[in-house]
Amino acid sequence: MTSTTGTTGTTGTACPFCGWPDHAEPFQVVSRHATAAGSTVWTRCGCGSLQVRAVDARGMRVMSRSRPADVPAPGGR
């Protein structure tokens, strides 16, 4: 999976591929896992982007997201 930021967390508040707001209901919850601080939720956006969300006392944050399968990587990879 490729992060859109190259670091932990994302800088925007919406999917950079389709514009769906990060704090809206995800299109599909793929899996949910309990952690010591809360939970990690893997979701899929309507455009196909896979997202890793951390949910804890601070709220929900998109930690990483992939490109949709039909979007080419930067640099043609």
Side-chain angles (χ1 to χ4, degrees):
M1 177 166 50
T2 303
S3 171
T4 60
T5 62
T7 61
T8 302
T10 58
T11 57
T13 58
C15 177
F17 306 106
C18 70
W20 188 261
D22 285 344
H23 290 285
E25 279 294 312
F27 178 74
Q28 176 184 27
V29 174
V30 178
S31 66
R32 186 181 315 265
H33 308 277
T35 66
S39 63
T40 299
V41 183
W42 288 77
T43 65
R44 189 164 305 278
C45 186
C47 69
S49 172
L50 187 63
Q51 305 168 354
V52 180
R53 299 174 178 222
V55 182
D56 57 22
R58 295 186 295 171
M60 186 282 301
R61 294 172 315 285
V62 176
M63 302 304 291
S64 184
R65 72 175 94 226
S66 71
R67 295 180 309 279
D70 61 348
V71 175
R77 287 187 241 161

